[in-house]
Amino acid sequence: MDERKPEERKADVTCDSASSSTSFDFIRTIIERDRADGKNEGRVHTRFPPEPNGYLHIGHAKSICLNFGIAAQYKGLCNLRFDDTNPSKEDVEYVDSIMEDVRWLGFDWADRLFYASDYFEQLYQYAIGLIESGKAFVCDLSAEEIREYRGTLTLPGRESPYRGRTVRENLDLFKRMRDGEFEDGSRTLRAKIDMASGNINMRDPVIYRIQRTSHHRTGDDWCIYPMYDYAHCCSDSIEGITHSICTLEFEDHRPLYDWYLEQLGIFHSQQIEFARLNLTYTVMSKRKLLQLVEEGYVTGWNDPLMPTISGLRRRGFTPESIRNFCDTIGVAKRDSTVSIDLLNHCLREDLNKRAPRVMAVLHPLKVVIDNYPEGRSEEVEAVNNPEDPEMGSRMLSFSKEIYIEKSDFMEDPPGKFFRLSPGREIRLKHAYFIKCESVVKDDLTGEVKELHCTYDPETGSGQAPDGRKVKGTLHWVSAEDGVKATVRLYQHLFTSEDPGAAGDFKETINSDALEELTDCVVEPVLTDSSPGDHFQFLRNGYFCTDTDSRPGAPVFNRTVGLRDSWAKIQNK
RNA sequence: UGGAGAGUCGUCCAACGGUAGGACAGCUGACUCUGGAUCAGCCGAUGGGGGUUCGAGUCCUCCCUCUCCAGCCA
């Protein structure tokens, strides 16, 4: 009984009295029903089946979270299986990166790492069975001819002239295909189904093709390789996969998936299709991502601008935030495009709890505190994270010259500007109130070069003894021990919410997506950070140390900005 | 009359035939040594027409719109 309600994740949701308000997505609904029916003895076994022909992206994360998540929820298993049936596009580089990314996301396939290529011999034997039962034949039509014979979406196809070969002849020819007697592309093994089917996948699909390409795992053992439709369902069957979850574009392939398993009479996995993830301002197809990499629009698969798992990781995303995002978006069958804002929300939610706060000035403006004693410096205490007292505090040194953010000063401010301006007093975070007394400008350009302020020694606690208030609190870095740093700011990679909508997606690439600031000044603690460390740069956003960072020359990526209500006011 | 699938707030996801709910975004306000966080409130949807029913987002029917499929890719 208990195992019928394994909603562990939602266990802490109030389940008051009779009406259990738990709702399942359509996949879990199917699984619940299957379990209730005793199908597969109640077993739940899924798999994540990437083709190693590119890096994983956030869309894959949705599938990974679904497959591994469902397995965990129902105390089942989830395999990692590489769908490596096309050696011309695949590479070990991708195999390695995929494993790294799945692990980083927090999932574990234990000892269940498989490759479709593990099953090549079994698949070959199955194919012989198909030939023997008259369900497959060797076809001598060229690729072009097959296309012609296939018909069109509205017109039925014609049967191959080789469709009537005897079992004996097919067996002989298929063996010789394997033995390498024929040219690449000269023959195929095809299923004998229905050339008039409205479903083009059923018009005698190719099962095996001849291709002399070294395979990254099987080397030159094979010169024939099975097609996806055939290899995938058989692999699922061999592994005892109960629920084979894939994306919507394979819906049309399900009849073929079922056909192969039925003809073969082997364990029948159930294919279930869901809508793939689309994100605003993002392209998600591996083909397009490959193009961005190969044509140099980004620095690589792990460019922080990329929606790849490795790109998001370098950008500073956490696995928790991605998993939480995948839970939040749910799963359904309708095409949808999730707002990138939701991803960013999940990110901030996580980082807000865990990222230590530090001060970093991105666009420094020097401030001289005229009444602060020359040569003196003092230590002030700064909490590391107001959300989590356990993260403790650190000491900062404060002295006569500091830097503040250029945008925190306006000579002639509009009404709702709460920051520094001539004659106005603000608070320096963790330190004193200062008041702007005068402005030093460049004679030629009029640019503000330096501010002269006075501080109130009585306000060291952050409060004024006389009770006077300030509107704003600014972050700052002491000029004396601030460390110079490079900071990379990112915008969306595309200027269009739907990059592919109006023709070529590359035309909507945002050439200003990366802005590199080389004159930033950060707190000295940041010199010790290592790649991947997360921080909140107070009032600026969440940042992480980049892999390009070097001792004495730190580099940070802005992972995501803070919600900025001042920016909203300005935009009105 | 090619086949398959899908239509619920701006966006995602919910709703045994029984008060259309949540999240993000947006807008107010409160609070704050981050214009952050937090809290409170507001805004806002069943593609259309018929039908069944005491009652329809849900069932039937007709229509409309959108997505996918013509690789020896996956």
Side-chain angles (χ1 to χ4, degrees):
Chain A
M1 322 277 140
D2 263 347
E3 54 269 19
R4 282 201 193 157
K5 302 263 178 190
E7 271 285 74
E8 291 161 358
R9 295 168 180 222
K10 293 170 184 165
D12 49 352
V13 166
T14 50
C15 32
D16 42 24
S17 71
S19 61
S20 88
S21 56
T22 2
S23 80
F24 299 99
D25 59 59
F26 81 99
I27 296 177
R28 278 174 249 250
T29 301
I30 291 170
I31 292 175
E32 289 285 327
R33 193 188 58 215
D34 287 348
R35 283 160 52 85
D37 292 349
K39 189 175 175 183
N40 300 313
E41 299 82 44
R43 202 166 54 83
V44 174
H45 199 155
T46 57
R47 101 269 91 115
F48 173 62
E51 183 189 12
N53 68 342
Y55 280 61
L56 259 28
H57 54 62
I58 182 78
H60 292 108
K62 177 179 181 181
S63 173
I64 292 167
C65 289
L66 239 189
N67 279 294
F68 280 94
I70 282 174
Q73 184 180 343
Y74 292 100
K75 299 192 166 39
L77 300 169
C78 180
N79 298 353
L80 174 62
R81 180 174 73 232
F82 288 98
D83 223 330
D84 55 349
T85 57
N86 184 5
S88 64
K89 292 189 176 177
E90 297 154 8
D91 195 279
V92 282
E93 176 198 352
Y94 299 125
V95 171
D96 294 341
S97 76
I98 288 168
M99 290 198 282
E100 181 187 1
D101 289 348
V102 175
R103 253 188 234 113
W104 178 77
L105 278 172
F107 298 102
D108 183 12
W109 54 88
D111 57 349
R112 295 179 314 283
L113 169 63
F114 302 116
Y115 296 81
S117 55
D118 293 342
Y119 313 131
F120 279 174
E121 183 59 37
Q122 175 68 262
L123 262 22
Y124 177 80
Q125 296 302 330
Y126 282 156
I128 288 175
L130 247 22
I131 294 171
E132 285 171 340
S133 58
K135 296 296 181 183
F137 66 99
V138 172
C139 182
D140 299 359
L141 255 25
S142 69
E144 201 166 312
E145 287 166 330
I146 285 185
R147 194 186 329 124
E148 284 163 14
Y149 275 75
R150 188 158 32 229
T152 69
L153 291 178
T154 50
L155 262 24
R158 286 139 52 214
E159 293 186 349
S160 162
Y162 305 97
R163 203 177 198 260
R165 292 220 253 232
T166 63
V167 168
R168 185 192 186 84
E169 190 181 0
N170 283 322
L171 249 17
D172 174 63
L173 255 14
F174 186 47
K175 180 174 189 313
R176 291 162 62 194
M177 278 171 63
R178 176 185 185 166
D179 291 344
E181 288 190 29
F182 310 121
E183 296 280 294
D184 283 16
S186 62
R187 282 176 224 257
T188 56
L189 181 72
R190 291 228 261 162
K192 203 184 286 184
I193 310 180
D194 177 10
M195 289 308 291
S197 173
N199 182 345
I200 290 179
N201 295 301
M202 302 299 271
R203 320 241 262 229
D204 291 5
V206 172
I207 304 175
Y208 271 92
R209 75 281 213 183
I210 305 173
Q211 191 183 120
R212 284 172 180 76
T213 306
S214 271
H215 187 280
H216 60 101
R217 283 182 61 80
T218 60
D220 297 318
D221 293 351
W222 296 85
C223 64
I224 57 171
Y225 291 98
M227 300 288 292
Y228 164 85
D229 287 300
Y230 177 68
H232 200 90
C233 61
C234 290
S235 300
D236 282 342
S237 178
I238 291 167
E239 292 176 18
I241 300 304
T242 56
H243 302 271
S244 178
I245 300 167
C246 63
T247 43
L248 245 32
E249 67 270 26
F250 293 104
E251 210 152 20
D252 283 350
H253 296 239
R254 190 175 25 170
L256 182 53
Y257 184 104
D258 292 336
W259 187 89
Y260 281 130
L261 295 180
E262 271 161 36
Q263 299 307 318
L264 258 13
I266 55 180
F267 175 75
H268 202 142
S269 312
Q270 178 185 4
Q271 176 176 306
I272 303 170
E273 311 85 13
F274 70 96
R276 68 181 336 138
L277 172 67
N278 294 296
L279 269 184
T280 55
Y281 298 102
T282 310
V283 298
M284 208 72 93
S285 89
K286 279 201 261 187
R287 199 197 97 242
K288 289 177 180 171
L289 295 176
L290 214 211
Q291 235 178 311
L292 292 173
V293 173
E294 289 189 333
E295 295 173 23
Y297 292 101
V298 294
T299 55
W301 286 98
N302 72 340
D303 190 305
L305 251 6
M306 292 280 274
T308 50
I309 303 299
S310 52
L312 295 173
R313 176 167 59 231
R314 185 168 171 194
R315 174 78 168 257
F317 277 71
T318 58
E320 290 80 1
S321 66
I322 294 174
R323 278 190 255 123
N324 189 44
F325 170 73
C326 291
D327 279 349
T328 305
I329 57 176
V331 52
K333 293 197 73 158
R334 48 196 295 211
D335 295 308
S336 60
T337 302
V338 176
S339 166
I340 192 95
D341 290 339
L342 182 57
L343 216 209
N344 288 333
H345 164 80
C346 292
L347 219 208
R348 290 192 188 102
E349 190 178 43
D350 187 41
L351 257 14
N352 178 48
K353 287 180 292 187
R354 68 205 307 164
R357 272 61 170 172
V358 293
M359 296 198 284
V361 176
L362 270 31
H363 298 95
L365 173 60
K366 183 178 268 188
V367 172
V368 180
I369 300 166
D370 291 331
N371 62 339
Y372 196 87
E374 195 83 41
R376 181 171 140 195
S377 99
E378 64 187 294
E379 299 262 288
V380 296
E381 186 178 11
V383 295
N384 289 328
N385 188 347
E387 301 291 319
D388 182 6
E390 301 219 334
M391 290 175 78
S393 63
R394 67 192 184 284
M395 300 308 287
L396 294 172
S397 87
F398 181 82
S399 51
K400 191 177 178 73
E401 294 190 354
I402 62 169
Y403 293 106
I404 65 166
E405 211 70 63
K406 269 184 184 155
S407 57
D408 282 340
F409 173 80
M410 276 184 104
E411 195 169 20
D412 187 19
K416 288 189 173 160
F417 188 80
F418 299 156
R419 282 107 100 141
L420 204 56
S421 55
R424 190 181 295 177
E425 189 175 43
I426 53 84
R427 172 169 41 229
L428 291 175
K429 181 74 179 176
H430 305 307
Y432 300 97
F433 285 15
I434 59 168
K435 186 175 177 185
C436 179
E437 306 291 353
S438 61
V439 183
V440 178
K441 289 196 264 189
D442 185 295
D443 291 339
L444 291 172
T445 64
E447 187 194 353
V448 176
K449 305 297 281 185
E450 189 176 297
L451 262 28
H452 283 262
C453 296
T454 52
Y455 85 116
D456 178 349
E458 301 299 310
T459 56
S461 65
Q463 308 291 340
D466 63 7
R468 73 182 190 279
K469 304 281 186 195
V470 287
K471 279 279 193 61
T473 300
L474 309 187
H475 61 280
W476 53 276
V477 172
S478 137
E480 195 180 342
D481 64 352
V483 173
K484 207 171 161 188
T486 293
V487 170
R488 295 175 183 158
L489 305 180
Y490 301 95
Q491 307 289 331
H492 299 137
L493 219 202
F494 298 93
T495 54
S496 163
E497 194 170 297
D498 184 1
D504 187 359
F505 77 102
K506 286 186 290 183
E507 282 170 15
T508 63
I509 288 177
N510 178 7
S511 51
D512 300 322
L514 166 64
E515 182 185 2
E516 187 168 81
L517 308 174
T518 53
D519 292 313
C520 308
V521 186
V522 304
E523 274 186 40
V525 279
L526 286 172
T527 47
D528 296 332
S529 67
S530 35
D533 286 352
H534 303 282
F535 301 96
Q536 185 194 104
F537 287 3
L538 225 61
R539 301 206 306 136
N540 264 323
Y542 295 99
F543 291 73
C544 81
T545 310
D546 189 72
T547 45
D548 287 343
S549 209
R550 295 288 174 270
V555 179
F556 302 96
N557 296 314
R558 183 170 66 190
T559 306
V560 65
L562 255 18
R563 284 185 60 219
D564 187 350
S565 46
W566 168 237
K568 278 183 194 169
I569 293 169
Q570 280 179 303
N571 286 334
K572 280 180 184 172

